[in-house]
């Protein structure tokens, strides 16, 4: 792996000198790469520095909300300096794909390192870390018998029990998209209505708010992403006390597997430094970069033989749903319509 990165880096200065000079005076001999990222973790800064040290390529970054970045790259058009879009959730990567701002990449390194379900089939984007959307419950209220699947969340046995955030939230849209892909639209619609009937309260707050509400006993059951749980599990005394009241269920372990989503990145259509962007993507799949990238937000590394951090690991092992993340993107619109009809605010 390391050898591959180094050999790619050695080739870069030759091909990039002209482009780098034309782009900007300050760029070093090995050129630069312009990263538009909706992630904002200090650990990502360490990755940029390490990449520069290894390759001599200068990293310039613009950080903003994913939709704002997609909008910006679209409006900059062929003059966009953007080389790589880094963002969270298959739904947002799909929006970027729909906007036509991502270009196909074929890389042996990326294909070897990343499982195929975490890559766009045409190489428009690559998943670099994952998070699972899991069920939590208040242990003092007892283990919810018979709650093993997402479908079970719609069971009338759990009437008045469920806290979950609003349907405008992309994590829920992606979860429902996966249910459409796995079970069909009709089952997805019945599921959404059934879960609405089981709400403990109107959807409010983010995943952290659901964790606090379930821990405090305001609702018996919640649905949240694993990295929020890991923040509590690996947090200060007060946060750990909140986590200690919770049980975690990874749904669908005997079926499709638990729904996961990705942090990922794609090379931009008019990238002025395309080769550098690919080199950075490949760098992100190295073992040390995978750990940094995943740890920045308590996620699971996309490269399967790299371990997650201890707070994440303590949530338990599970079988992930290997539905391609591109499929999750494709069903977003239908998912939003189903949520509306189900009255899920
Ligand atoms: Fe989040």
């Amino acid at each position: 792996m390391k050898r591959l990165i180094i050999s790619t880096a050695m080739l870069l200065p030759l091909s990039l000198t002209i482009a780098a000079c034309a782009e900007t005076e300050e760029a070093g001999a090995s050129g630069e790469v312009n990263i538009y990222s909706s992630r904002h973790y200090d650990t990502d800064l360490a990755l940029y520095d390490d990449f520069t040290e290894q390759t001599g390529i200068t990293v310039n970054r613009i950080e903003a909300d994913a939709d704002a970045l997609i909008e910006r790259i679209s409006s900059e058009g062929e003059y966009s300096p953007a080389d790589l879009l880094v963002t969270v959730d298959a739904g947002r990567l799909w929006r970027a794909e729909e906007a036509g701002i991502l270009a196909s990449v074929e890389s042996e390194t990326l294909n070897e390192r990343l499982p195929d379900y975490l890559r766009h089939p045409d190489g428009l984007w690559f998943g670099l870390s994952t998070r699972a959307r899991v069920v939590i419950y208040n242990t003092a209220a007892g283990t919810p018998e018979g709650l093993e699947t997402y479908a079970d969340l719609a069971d009338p046995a759990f009437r008045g029990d469920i806290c979950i955030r609003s349907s405008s939230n992309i994590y829920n849209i992606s979860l429902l998209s996966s249910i459409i892909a796995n079970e069909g639209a009709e089952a997805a619609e019945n599921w959404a209505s059934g879960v609405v009937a089981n709400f403990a309260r109107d959807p409010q707050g983010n995943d952290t708010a659901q964790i606090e509400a379930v821990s405090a006993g305001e609702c018996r059951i919640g649905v949240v992403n694993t990295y929020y749980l890991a923040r509590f599990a690996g947090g200060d005394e007060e946060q750990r006390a909140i986590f200690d009241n919770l049980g975690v269920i990874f749904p669908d372990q005997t079926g499709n597997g638990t729904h996961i989503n990705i942090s990922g990145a794609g090379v931009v259509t008019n990238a002025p430094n395309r080769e550098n962007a690919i080199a950075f993507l490949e760098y992100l799949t190295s073992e040390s970069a995978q750990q940094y990238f995943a740890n920045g937000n308590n996620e699971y590394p996309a490269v399967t033989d790299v371990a997650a951090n201890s707070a994440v690991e303590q949530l338990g092992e599970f079988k992930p749903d290997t539905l391609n993340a591109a499929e999750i993107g494709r069903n977003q619109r239908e998912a939003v319509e189903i949520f509306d009809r189900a009255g899920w605010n």
Side-chain angles (χ1 to χ4, degrees), residues 88 131 165 171 207 225 227-228 231 297:
V88 168
R131 66 280 295 283
R165 68 201 285 176
Y171 310 147
D207 284 10
N225 282 352
Y227 63 87
Y228 292 90
R231 269 180 215 160
N297 190 29

Side-chain angles (χ1 to χ4, degrees), residues 47-107:
L47 284 172
Y48 299 153
D49 288 347
D50 187 46
F51 175 69
T52 301
E53 211 164 285
Q54 284 193 26
T55 62
I57 298 167
T58 308
V59 176
N60 306 313
R61 64 197 163 85
I62 287 179
E63 289 182 357
D65 165 60
D67 291 326
L69 292 176
I70 293 169
E71 181 65 46
R72 178 163 173 172
I73 295 170
S74 299
S75 59
E76 286 170 345
E78 63 178 301
Y79 303 106
S80 178
D83 293 310
L84 191 70
L85 174 69
V86 181
T87 189
V88 168
D89 203 289
R92 294 207 184 89
L93 290 163
W94 173 77
R95 285 176 196 167
E97 179 186 344
E98 285 281 282
I101 61 169
L102 299 180
S104 180
V105 166
E106 180 64 39
S107 153

Side-chain angles (χ1 to χ4, degrees), residues 311-329:
V312 178
E313 295 269 289
Q314 86 177 80
L315 301 178
E317 286 193 11
F318 69 102
K319 179 179 90 168
D321 185 356
T322 55
L323 177 72
N324 191 289
E327 198 76 38
I328 294 169

